[in-house]
């Protein structure tokens, strides 16, 4: 049996809002990520071939990050209080990197960028959420 392959997951919140964990496939996902903070945790891919983390961004949006053990990612930003349709999120999984945006009606929006790479021993995933002007 091969040794488990770790994925080092880095989440960075540059949005101006506090990110509050709604759900995750891993207990090590941080419950709160304050704006300006970055966190790192490890996923053991021997336990599961895919991981996810869902965060409420204040009362404005929901941030979704999904990754697989074979270097694929997806991200989505949804209006707050809308259902997450996992079939839709999974259909957007792409190799290496993905991005998503959501425009609020206040002249600004959120942007999520996710990238995953493999160095032969482990995967590294970096995901960032930030705000951007829409006007």
């Amino acid at each position: 049996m091969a040794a488990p392959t770790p994925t080092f997951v880095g989440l960075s919140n540059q949005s101006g809002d506090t990110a509050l964990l709604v759900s995750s496939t891993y207990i090590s996902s941080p419950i709160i990520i304050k704006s300006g903070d970055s966190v790192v945790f490890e996923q053991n891919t021997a336990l599961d071939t895919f991981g996810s983390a869902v965060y409420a961004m204040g009362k404005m949006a929901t941030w979704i990050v999904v990754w697989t053990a074979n270097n694929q990612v997806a991200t989505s930003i949804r209006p707050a209080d809308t259902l997450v349709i996992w079939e839709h999120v999974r259909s957007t999984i792409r190799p290496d990197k993905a991005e998503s945006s959501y425009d609020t009606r206040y002249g600004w929006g959120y942007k999520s960028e996710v990238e995953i790479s493999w160095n032969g021993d482990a995967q590294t995933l970096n995901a960032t959420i930030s705000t951007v002007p829409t006007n």
Side-chain angles (χ1 to χ4, degrees):
M1 176 180 230
T5 302
T7 299
F8 296 96
V9 178
L11 303 176
S12 178
N13 178 6
Q14 305 302 317
S15 72
D17 290 319
T18 296
L20 181 61
L21 185 66
V22 174
S23 69
S24 176
T25 50
Y26 293 92
I27 196 164
S28 55
S29 299
I31 295 171
I32 294 173
I33 308 172
K34 293 181 180 179
S35 183
D37 286 355
S38 296
V39 297
V40 176
F41 62 95
E42 185 177 341
Q43 167 200 354
N44 178 345
T45 56
L47 302 175
D48 202 347
T49 58
F50 119 51
S52 66
V54 179
Y55 285 89
M57 303 307 299
K59 295 183 180 186
M60 296 297 296
T62 301
W63 179 35
I64 304 159
V65 179
V66 175
W67 60 94
T68 70
N70 63 344
N71 292 326
Q72 296 189 61
V73 290
T75 187
S76 180
I77 303 173
R78 315 268 309 144
D81 300 325
T82 59
L83 292 175
V84 175
I85 308 299
W86 286 104
E87 181 180 15
H88 172 72
V89 174
R90 287 186 189 114
S91 74
T92 65
I93 290 176
R94 301 287 178 261
D96 304 324
K97 58 184 169 182
E99 63 180 52
S100 178
S101 61
Y102 165 64
D103 294 339
T104 69
R105 47 182 193 253
Y106 302 106
W108 56 273
Y110 293 95
K111 182 176 183 178
S112 175
E113 297 175 302
V114 181
E115 189 168 356
I116 196 165
S117 60
W118 167 259
N119 70 7
D121 294 321
Q123 290 185 128
T124 301
L125 173 120
N126 290 301
T128 301
I129 189 166
S130 57
T131 52
V132 293
T134 58
N135 295 341

